[in-house]
Amino acid sequence: MNKKDLTETDIRTKFITPAIVGDNGEKWDVMTQLREEIYFTKGRVIVRGKTVKRGEAKKADYLLYYKPNIPIAVVEAKDNNHSVGAGMQQALEYAEILDVPFAYSCNGDAFLEHDRTGANGVVEREIPLDQFPTPEELWARYRQAKGYSLEQETIAIQDYYDDGSGKMPRYYQLNAINRTVDAIARGEDRLLLVMATGTGKTYTAFQIIWRLWKSGAKKRILFLVDRNILADQTKTNDFKPFGQAMTKITNRSVDKSFEIYLSLYQAVTGTEEERNIYKQFSPDFFDLIIVDECHRGSAAEDAAWHDVLTYFSSATQIGLTATPKETKEVSNIHYFGDPIYTYSLRQGISDGFLAPYKVVRIGLDKDLDGWRPEKGKIDKYGREIEDREYNETDFDRNLILEKRTQVVAAKVTEFLKATDRFAKTIVFCENIDHAERMRQALVNANADLAAANKRYVMRITGDNDEGKAQLDNFIDPESTFPVIATTSQLMSTGVDAQTCHLIVLDKRINSMTEFKQIIGRGTRINEDYNKFFFTIMDFKRATALFADPAFDGEPVQIYEPGPGEPPVPPDEVPGTEDETGEVIYEPADPIEPPVTGEPPRKYYVDDVEVRVATERVQYLDEQGKLITESLKDYTRNTVRKAYASLKAFLNAWNDADRKQAIIDELATHGVFLDELAEQVGRDYDAFDLVCHVAFDQPPLTRRERAAQVKKRHVFAKYGDRTRAVLDALLEKYADGGIKSVESLDILKVDPLTAFGTPVEIVKLFGGKQSYLAAIRELETELYWKAA
């Protein structure tokens, strides 16, 4: 057996795996400590037009665990034509992502080890196959590098909760859990975890608490949340395994016999009486406090419940947030310290765990140009309107242009009619009055569906019990209604709307924190309901915040349709931060005309036309950078990065055994030729689309290429039956493109079935290799003129 002739898979099976597990399996347990070809990301969701694909997921050849919760080494394999260290750079990249201390590369001859702890002074060394370290050896080296005492080690190696279903924390959750437990074991007592909305902060918090609780490091724990629905969800879902040891603080008297306490911020920081609840506990009662959504006031030294953290100052305190708040008045980092771990929106989208999004930017003429009433202009209630320039800061606050609301409702409806009229939609409005008027406009714009079900459009705001009662139904993926929810503040946080497909911004947003929270309403992926991405329709240029350096996850596409073009792409004072706590009541603004003699709070104008002035397209490239260009421009630039010239592309195309491999590779970079064909022409082959769009070559249709091959009689050397098979394949190419020709499955389709089974057809050519050679010759002839 010549080792050089073996594939990478053979090298792994015959050399690497036996070296890791030992001759008799005495080293690493293959069932519990070794995972082979383990995917640790999902693959970025790539959206072009209506087409959604996943990019390539990251996969480690081997991931080795000291215990199920402690990954300790990654091993990258190469075939024997590579050097021992050829896989090291990839191994180090994965080791950094997975937070493991040891990385190895192996080609079947030996291992190259990289010790990321640097504890013994030798970072890289070569190891013979039979001397690969045992789990105990690697843990001993890691433990020494960490300087663990026996007590600290006991905490650090405590298992996470396993419900027996096989569910494991995702890699970034495990990183967050392990870093936090490690830091607490070493005595740190103020910690900040930053994890984007939708990445499982509560589940991560549960596993942290579980390990600290089970190890005995922390005995009484307080978990603070800012929404009643979150407290209930936490108790019945992620925290359910705590069972009888857990309670929720709901009234003025507290039972001190429990170990895990859930509480709303408001329950301990409300009225003077409520605020004293926590004083029923001694200052040292809790030894761990976890603050969910800690950007919502907890870090402000004058915040009402900052007193709670101060009162329990001896407890270890962990802040969880998706949006660290840094202003002159408020700082998470000032209070909790720098984040011990960050998993950003951008990283979540890149890994494929969070949904990317498109942006449809629509500029209305009055918003862009402003509006000044003519002299003596009166509103619909007969009051003269103050003569001044009104702009978007006034609209829907102190000046209501009713036709503006109707235009917004019409654009939202047009989008839904062109995509899915039952796609869950949240419309964010300036205030409750605006949300109510938007509800009315959307009901009128969707009169058929609103008449069929009164819950098709609902206003869900803090002052409306009927609307709030429908919040759970809106969140529930299995509940069809409500479809459209108009709101101002209530739904900006704490709403886990997994199937929200459209977010409409018709309010000014100057707070990055609030902006990220609103975007977070749509970032969850739900594959069961085909929710892979969502769309933001922006009427107030709120998405300009994408350009802010503090924003970490740009959209996949921004579209600004022009006048007449379809919108489907091929109550906070501006500048203030969101307030702590659940919205209990929002006073509605009166719609009646003001009493004579009083200055009007708002002008209501119903006879001023409002039109769409602008509507633009932007995509994310594979690095997550926002670029403003059309699909054609994006394709052109991306292809030219991969192939510097037409000759380079032709060489790669002609050298490829499977042309589809090149098409698939381009797709991983966001070049979707199916979508491009919709714009350029569906009769063109992938080859012609690329050559035409990227290199300005005149295209030929598939049928024209097939006809040229037939005219040249290039298959005269074949027998009648094999020539008939090739003619049938040419016809299939003319109908469906090169992918159909390269697949053996095409032989199971009429009219090719007339020549026999796939095996019989292949035998006509003298075997599989001869058949594939004939297919390559057919492809060569199809692209002969271009070459």
Side-chain angles (χ1 to χ4, degrees), residues 163-180:
D163 62 4
S165 68
K167 178 183 178 180
M168 292 178 61
R170 291 171 174 170
Y171 85 85
Y172 62 85
Q173 293 170 337
L174 200 53
N175 289 352
I177 295 163
N178 286 343
R179 284 201 189 184
T180 304

Side-chain angles (χ1 to χ4, degrees), residues 47-52 358 533 557 569-570 619 631 672 675:
V47 184
R48 291 290 178 267
K50 296 175 183 176
T51 304
V52 179
K358 304 177 183 182
F533 70 96
Q557 179 182 10
Y619 295 92
L631 182 57
F672 290 171
E675 288 296 325

Side-chain angles (χ1 to χ4, degrees), residues 401-421:
L401 297 179
E402 294 189 350
K403 293 193 176 181
R404 184 191 179 285
T405 309
Q406 293 165 15
V407 168
V408 171
K411 276 295 177 185
V412 172
T413 302
E414 186 183 347
F415 180 91
L416 292 174
K417 284 182 175 179
T419 52
D420 175 8
R421 294 191 74 187

Side-chain angles (χ1 to χ4, degrees), residues 225-239:
V225 298
D226 73 333
R227 289 282 190 271
N228 199 48
I229 187 172
L230 290 179
D232 293 337
Q233 285 176 351
T234 299
K235 187 176 180 183
T236 56
N237 297 331
D238 288 326
F239 279 36

Side-chain angles (χ1 to χ4, degrees), residues 122-197:
V122 178
V123 176
E124 289 199 354
R125 61 176 182 143
E126 194 170 297
I127 303 172
L129 287 179
D130 61 356
Q131 293 180 27
F132 189 81
T134 65
E136 292 72 25
E137 288 169 347
L138 286 188
W139 177 252
R141 289 164 60 187
Y142 180 64
R143 182 183 59 204
Q144 182 181 0
K146 283 287 186 180
Y148 283 150
S149 67
L150 190 60
E151 182 183 356
Q152 290 169 337
E153 182 183 10
T154 302
I155 299 169
I157 65 174
Q158 175 64 46
D159 290 336
Y160 61 74
Y161 175 77
D162 184 354
D163 62 4
S165 68
K167 178 183 178 180
M168 292 178 61
R170 291 171 174 170
Y171 85 85
Y172 62 85
Q173 293 170 337
L174 200 53
N175 289 352
I177 295 163
N178 286 343
R179 284 201 189 184
T180 304
V181 171
D182 170 73
I184 290 172
R186 289 186 287 104
E188 294 186 32
D189 60 2
R190 295 292 183 272
L191 303 168
L192 180 64
L193 275 179
V194 178
M195 295 174 68
T197 301

Side-chain angles (χ1 to χ4, degrees), residues 79-98:
D79 65 39
N80 200 248
N81 293 297
H82 290 81
S83 66
V84 174
M88 182 51 75
Q89 290 195 152
Q90 189 175 28
L92 284 172
E93 178 192 346
Y94 291 170
E96 185 174 349
I97 294 171
L98 298 170

Side-chain angles (χ1 to χ4, degrees), residues 202 205 209 221-225 234 239 261-263 290 292 320:
T202 309
I209 295 170
I221 295 114
L222 174 63
F223 186 70
L224 286 169
V225 298
T234 299
F239 279 36
Y261 292 79
L262 300 178
S263 178
I290 296 187
D292 194 20
L320 301 178

